[in-house]
Amino acid sequence: MKKTLYWMVLCVLALLLAACDKTPTVDPTHDDSIPAYAAGDKKGGITYQLLIYSFADSDGDRIGDFNGIRQHLDYLDGLGVSAIWLSPAHPADSYHGYDVVDYGALNPKYGSEADFKALIDAAHAKGIKIYMDYVLNHSGKGHPWFTEALADPSSPYRDYYFICTNPASEWSSYPMLKGYSYNNDEWHSATSGSPRLKVSSTSEAVTNGSATWNLWMWPQGHDGKAVRFVDDKDGTYHIVADLSGTTGVLVRKSMDWTAGSKFGAAQEDYNMTEGIPIDLVGDGGNIFFTGTGRYRFDLSNTVSQSVRYMGAFGSWMPDLNYGDVSKAEENACFQAIAATVDKWIGLGIDGLRLDAVKHICGGMWTFNNSSNVTLLRKWYDRCNASYRESHSEDFYMVAEAWMGASDVAQYYKALPALFEFDFWERLKWVLNEQTGCYFSKDILGYRKAYKAVNPKAIAATKLANHDETRTATVLGLNTARCKQAAAMLLTAEGEPYIYQGEELGYWGKDGDEGGRDELVRTPIVWDNASSAATADLGGHVDYTLVRDEISVANQQKDESSILHTYYDFTKARNTCPALAGGVMSRHPVYNETNTSEGKAIAAWYMTGSDGSKVLVVHNVGAAPKTITPGDSLGELVVSLGTCSLSGSSLTLGGNSSAVYYIK
Ligand code: CA
Ligand code: CA
């Protein structure tokens, strides 16, 4: 009876849950000033750049995680984003994740594969794609490929890196470093080679060697004896001996007990397996082998070597070597990393953001763009082929080639999207100098260069990102300018990225400008500061930002907040066809030639694929401005600040913006 009741309760609960699942998405408590979208309605191509470690914590350890992101998808949906770029999700040596130690796994701090899958599925249900961050230039120093490559000079992983004895004379022999100029600071010292012991059964004759390298052997529970290795004269040694039951072994480099001569296992009482070599460490723990019969012990890697390896970003990030890029697809390292992408595609991801691509073929200061393009084209084709096995559209990929737009352009031979760093470089000048007249000419010039390479080139536009001083700091904490930066980002051609915290007006100086990188990676304060994901930032938290007063909850209630400017303009971008995926063109009056009367005005047209056209106009000056654009203006799409249309005259207040349909 009790059991039946139990099952009845379970069934009722299951039915209730099923009913909840089918509940329409209309939330009676929804604040109407925050946009709501049905899946597929977000046409504006807006992506949110999110730091997993500091976005949202779900389990109280104050480290952001996959479940935390999933629980805040409504927030991202309100911002109108159709994709999320996640900071590196792999296990890594540093909090930021850009020194990956396993591309095929997820950082356990962030949750399990099931949690990640749940995030992907929940995001997809809201029409939000998931992009993973991939680092192809380097791995973390702690990656097993690198430790193995250093430990064993004959390891196949040696070819995954640039490891040599004299880089000043040897670097030019690496095909990938063609076009790179040797820079001593980018090469780091290490010791390569550690003695390695392997045991296997044999029928060879028992040896009686004479090398000073010896094997200290003791049948369990008995005193031991030293047996000398036979010197094979090529840095390897061997012993053949008869064993009975469990035998303890330690390797010694001399016949006496000289300090530093003992080598054992990295852990105490290690049980060796036949055929599987073990890397020995100085003063290591006892090793045991169980077997009765005749066995051969092989000792290799007995000559340790001083080497140098390339790590352009520092000794903890050794650069990866893909060999001859013209056949990179045959390269083992390339294939190994690509195979991990297959796994994540299988789990449901929609694209990748590639880190630091200009440095791949080359180092920090000198590099070879054309080799990078060749390599990245092969990388894209490899990933896309995998994706296309289960999808009808192409895989998305955007890369960070941190250069001027004219240099970025060539990378469109390889990839569909690239960040346009010049967009923000120009825009910060425009806003701080209150000079808008040149802006559209500059942006159109960049786009012309991209489209000459690839007519479908996607310019990934942005304000500040996780490596840059925050937008609000660059703009002197001037709220009106911060709002206008958002308005200009969201009304220009391209696919805009919103970096975590920009929409909340976060400030902070990065490490290159006298601050710290952590200070531009501040956690989101959702409703109270005490739950913000601060724990992974090593104490480098700006508590003038992490406080309740400027929480998301408070900014959502305040319609004059920067967040609401983002709501207004993301909504406009997603719903107005001329803004969503529209093409930018020059205004005949307010342009680079109108440098006196129209100096403060940045204006352009956007034309949608449906033929609809809007006028976009921003007064970046502090003073109000009345202009006569000469267009037949119709309905107002969206505005910032104050604007009024009277006949053919349009008056915009200081730092005010407007988008009008053209009749
Ligand atoms: Ca957590
Ligand atoms: Ca490199």
Side-chain angles (χ1 to χ4, degrees):
M1 183 64 197
K2 267 185 180 169
K3 208 169 186 179
T4 315
L5 191 64
Y6 172 73
W7 283 112
M8 279 174 64
V9 168
L10 269 191
C11 286
V12 169
L13 273 175
L15 282 169
L16 277 172
L17 280 173
C20 285
D21 261 348
K22 292 186 179 68
T23 305
T25 49
V26 178
D27 173 2
T29 64
H30 184 81
D31 177 346
D32 288 340
S33 71
I34 302 171
Y37 298 91
D41 272 4
K42 291 167 285 189
K43 312 275 190 212
I46 304 165
T47 301
Y48 191 83
Q49 177 193 353
L50 181 157
L51 308 171
I52 304 173
Y53 51 85
S54 68
F55 183 69
D57 169 37
S58 71
D59 58 5
D61 67 359
R62 310 288 296 273
I63 298 173
D65 46 51
F66 300 130
N67 288 336
I69 302 167
R70 184 166 52 79
Q71 290 161 3
H72 290 90
L73 285 172
D74 278 343
Y75 172 72
L76 298 173
D77 200 44
L79 271 174
V81 309
S82 51
I84 304 169
W85 151 25
L86 298 174
S87 64
H90 304 120
D93 291 328
S94 302
Y95 79 92
H96 51 63
Y98 285 99
D99 41 7
V100 174
V101 300
D102 185 353
Y103 292 89
L106 297 169
N107 195 323
K109 286 190 297 191
Y110 304 153
S112 65
E113 269 184 39
D115 296 335
F116 188 48
K117 175 71 177 150
L119 165 61
I120 293 169
D121 290 347
H124 286 176
K126 290 186 176 295
I128 298 174
K129 296 180 171 180
I130 298 287
Y131 305 151
M132 288 182 90
D133 205 324
Y134 254 70
V135 191
L136 299 181
N137 180 64
H138 52 262
S139 75
K141 195 180 179 184
H143 198 298
W145 295 341
F146 187 66
T147 50
E148 178 70 18
L150 271 189
D152 180 0
S154 62
S155 162
Y157 299 117
R158 193 82 160 194
D159 295 336
Y160 284 30
Y161 296 92
F162 303 95
I163 301 174
C164 60
T165 50
N166 183 4
S169 63
E170 292 174 63
W171 69 269
S172 59
S173 65
Y174 292 109
M176 248 181 80
L177 297 186
K178 194 165 177 259
Y180 160 80
S181 300
Y182 175 68
N183 183 330
N184 198 42
D185 289 352
E186 294 176 350
W187 294 81
H188 312 280
S189 297
T191 302
S192 171
S194 58
R196 167 173 283 192
L197 189 67
K198 189 174 92 171
V199 62
S200 38
S201 67
T202 185
S203 54
E204 295 168 54
V206 170
T207 58
N208 183 12
S210 58
T212 55
W213 281 96
N214 64 85
L215 193 65
W216 190 259
M217 305 169 70
W218 66 99
Q220 206 163 40
H222 296 80
D223 285 344
K225 59 172 180 173
V227 181
R228 289 173 186 259
F229 279 98
V230 175
D231 187 347
D232 298 321
K233 305 289 183 194
D234 58 355
T236 69
Y237 298 79
H238 78 277
I239 282 171
V240 175
D242 289 324
L243 306 181
S244 174
T246 299
T247 305
V249 291
L250 280 170
V251 169
R252 284 194 168 272
K253 203 176 175 176
S254 73
M255 284 306 288
D256 56 29
W257 296 80
T258 308
S261 97
K262 182 178 111 172
F263 291 87
Q267 62 200 85
E268 203 49 64
D269 295 338
Y270 179 83
N271 290 308
M272 235 183 135
T273 307
E274 188 183 341
I276 298 178
I278 168 178
D279 285 321
L280 305 180
V281 297
D283 210 27
N286 291 339
I287 300 166
F288 292 98
F289 176 70
T290 302
T292 299
R294 187 161 293 178
Y295 289 91
R296 175 182 165 122
F297 287 90
D298 283 292
L299 185 68
S300 56
N301 293 350
T302 53
V303 183
S304 70
Q305 189 188 18
S306 288
V307 293
R308 305 245 286 167
Y309 64 92
M310 186 181 180
F313 285 80
S315 62
W316 62 96
M317 295 183 184
D319 277 49
L320 288 163
N321 179 8
Y322 302 104
D324 176 354
V325 295
S326 72
K327 39 184 183 179
E329 70 277 16
E330 298 169 14
N331 176 271
C333 181
F334 181 96
Q335 290 175 353
I337 299 181
T340 67
V341 177
D342 295 344
K343 172 177 174 173
W344 307 123
I345 288 174
L347 213 62
I349 67 156
D350 306 278
L352 299 183
R353 177 266 182 185
L354 303 181
D355 183 59
V357 297
K358 77 175 180 186
H359 304 286
I360 298 175
C361 295
M364 177 56 76
W365 309 112
T366 54
F367 32 82
N368 187 327
N369 288 322
S370 115
S371 293
N372 284 325
V373 168
T374 301
L375 177 76
L376 291 167
R377 180 78 229 182
K378 288 173 182 291
W379 174 258
Y380 180 78
D381 288 346
R382 167 65 180 79
C383 295
N384 193 39
S386 171
Y387 186 77
R388 293 291 301 235
E389 284 174 18
S390 51
H391 298 79
S392 56
E393 74 278 18
D394 283 338
F395 195 48
Y396 179 81
M397 209 177 284
V398 62
E400 174 201 37
W402 201 329
M403 299 185 282
S406 57
D407 288 321
V408 168
Q410 63 199 301
Y411 283 78
Y412 284 105
K413 284 181 213 153
L415 300 170
L418 286 142
F419 287 108
E420 187 175 67
F421 287 88
D422 272 350
F423 185 90
W424 178 222
E425 289 303 319
R426 294 311 298 152
L427 183 52
K428 57 176 117 163
W429 181 87
V430 163
L431 291 166
N432 281 335
E433 299 300 320
Q434 302 185 33
T435 304
C437 57
Y438 306 107
F439 185 69
S440 64
K441 174 182 185 279
D442 291 339
I443 302 303
L444 285 167
Y446 307 152
R447 307 310 167 81
K448 194 177 168 192
Y450 307 159
K451 287 174 188 174
V453 177
N454 175 2
K456 291 187 194 165
I458 299 168
T461 50
K462 50 171 272 303
L463 307 179
N465 71 14
H466 65 295
D467 286 326
E468 296 175 278
T469 291
R470 284 285 193 180
T471 294
T473 302
V474 169
L475 300 179
L477 301 179
N478 179 318
T479 301
R481 287 185 190 170
C482 289
K483 290 178 177 178
Q484 197 159 36
M488 291 178 80
L489 173 73
L490 292 163
T491 53
E493 183 185 315
E495 295 195 352
Y497 277 64
I498 300 170
Y499 169 49
Q500 172 180 324
E502 290 285 293
E503 77 279 19
L504 302 168
Y506 278 8
W507 54 82
K509 268 193 189 151
D510 80 348
D512 294 336
E513 297 192 4
R516 277 193 75 99
D517 290 346
E518 291 90 334
L519 298 179
V520 300
R521 301 169 182 180
T522 298
I524 300 283
V525 177
W526 293 103
D527 40 23
N528 65 74
S530 64
S531 61
T534 51
D536 233 5
L537 293 167
H540 304 292
V541 175
D542 181 353
Y543 286 100
T544 64
L545 279 169
V546 182
R547 55 192 173 91
D548 298 354
E549 291 75 9
I550 46 179
S551 65
V552 167
N554 278 344
Q555 292 209 38
Q556 283 180 329
K557 281 179 222 150
D558 174 8
E559 293 201 21
S560 71
S561 65
I562 291 174
L563 179 59
H564 271 274
T565 297
Y566 274 87
Y567 285 150
D568 292 345
F569 280 83
T570 52
K571 180 78 179 177
R573 188 177 187 91
N574 277 317
T575 52
C576 167
L579 290 178
V583 174
M584 194 169 174
S585 57
R586 184 172 180 266
H587 193 273
V589 179
Y590 291 94
N591 58 39
E592 75 283 359
T593 64
N594 197 337
T595 57
S596 52
E597 182 264 331
K599 185 184 173 202
I601 300 297
W604 58 86
Y605 298 122
M606 291 285 283
T607 307
S609 56
D610 62 350
S612 64
K613 190 172 177 183
V614 295
L615 169 68
V616 176
V617 56
H618 304 276
N619 173 17
V620 301
K625 183 83 196 160
T626 298
I627 63 169
T628 311
D631 301 299
S632 175
L633 299 183
E635 192 191 338
L636 178 69
V637 179
V638 64
S639 67
L640 167 71
T642 58
C643 73
S644 62
L645 184 61
S646 170
S648 58
S649 292
L650 174 62
T651 302
L652 290 169
N655 288 118
S656 292
S657 303
V659 178
Y660 283 94
Y661 278 110
I662 291 175
K663 287 184 202 159

